[in-house]
């Protein structure tokens, strides 16, 4: 008999690394598959799409290390704001999604949206005068869809409504 427990542990670690964004520790685009799987199990939830406002100017004015520090801080805020069983992912450079599982409560969703806006606004990075803000669009299942693709299209519309109104806000469909 051969003990393969070390190999199994290594394979599990590699699978985990393939699903995680190395900078933030959040899920990467693998989070999309997890959200779809969750939607198949539990038909209710709210998809939040978040985009950092004027992120390019942070990189331009303070450097990419500062941008990375800001992204890591935003990831921390998201992990603290959402529950452990919710799915939070970084799906693009400065784009994040979070899926609030099992609830399509408008009141809870609006509370989460306001909390995120406030926590990001109050964020201060040591040695930098960065005033971060985020634009957030959200859509609830099953009202606006039953897949990530359907919900993200609606949440994206809501996100761009916020951007067109001047950024730094929240819109729930």
């Amino acid at each position: 008999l051969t003990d393969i427990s070390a190999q199994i542990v290594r394979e599990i670690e590699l699978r985990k690394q393939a699903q995680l964004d190395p900078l933030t520790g959040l899920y990467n685009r693998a989070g999309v598959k997890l959200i779809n799987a969750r939607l198949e199990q539990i038909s209710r939830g709210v998809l939040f799409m978040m985009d950092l406002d004027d992120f390019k100017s942070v990189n331009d004015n303070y450097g990419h290390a500062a941008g990375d520090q800001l992204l890591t801080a935003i990831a921390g805020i998201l992990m603290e704001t959402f529950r452990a069983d919710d799915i939070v992912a970084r799906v693009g450079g400065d784009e994040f999604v979070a899926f609030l599982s099992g609830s399509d409560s408008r009141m809870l969703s609006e509370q989460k949206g306001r909390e995120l806006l406030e926590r990001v606004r109050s964020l201060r990075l040591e040695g930098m005068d960065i005033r971060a803000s985020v634009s957030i669009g959200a859509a609830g299942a099953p009202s606006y869809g039953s897949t990530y693709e359907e919900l993200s299209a609606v949440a994206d519309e809501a996100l761009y409504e916020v951007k067109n109104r001047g950024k730094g806000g929240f819109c729930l469909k």
Side-chain angles (χ1 to χ4, degrees), residues 151-172:
L151 292 173
S152 67
V154 176
D156 198 42
E157 284 177 26
L159 174 67
Y160 278 92
E161 283 181 30
V162 171
K163 293 266 187 192
N164 289 333
R165 288 192 310 244
K167 303 179 185 178
F170 173 68
C171 178
L172 173 64

Side-chain angles (χ1 to χ4, degrees), residues 45-120:
V46 178
L47 180 70
F48 290 77
M49 292 190 79
M50 294 152 277
D51 185 53
L52 283 171
D53 298 323
D54 305 315
F55 180 67
K56 185 181 180 318
S57 68
V58 173
N59 282 334
D60 291 348
N61 294 324
Y62 295 96
H64 289 278
D68 288 353
Q69 191 177 351
L70 177 58
L71 291 170
T72 303
I74 296 297
I77 289 170
L78 291 170
M79 293 304 293
E80 291 170 3
T81 304
F82 288 93
R83 303 168 302 188
D85 64 332
D86 294 331
I87 299 167
V88 181
R90 179 179 174 210
V91 293
D94 66 338
E95 298 167 353
F96 298 85
V97 296
F99 184 68
L100 182 64
S101 302
S103 173
D104 59 350
S105 163
R106 199 160 181 85
M107 188 174 79
L108 177 60
S109 299
E110 288 174 353
Q111 175 191 352
K112 291 284 183 194
R114 284 190 305 271
E115 183 180 349
L116 282 169
L117 290 174
E118 184 53 40
R119 292 182 86 170
V120 171

Side-chain angles (χ1 to χ4, degrees), residues 69-70 73 77 118-133:
Q69 191 177 351
L70 177 58
I77 289 170
E118 184 53 40
R119 292 182 86 170
V120 171
R121 279 186 195 122
S122 64
L123 177 64
R124 298 294 172 258
L125 299 178
E126 192 174 321
M128 290 175 267
D129 187 29
I130 296 173
R131 300 282 185 237
S133 72

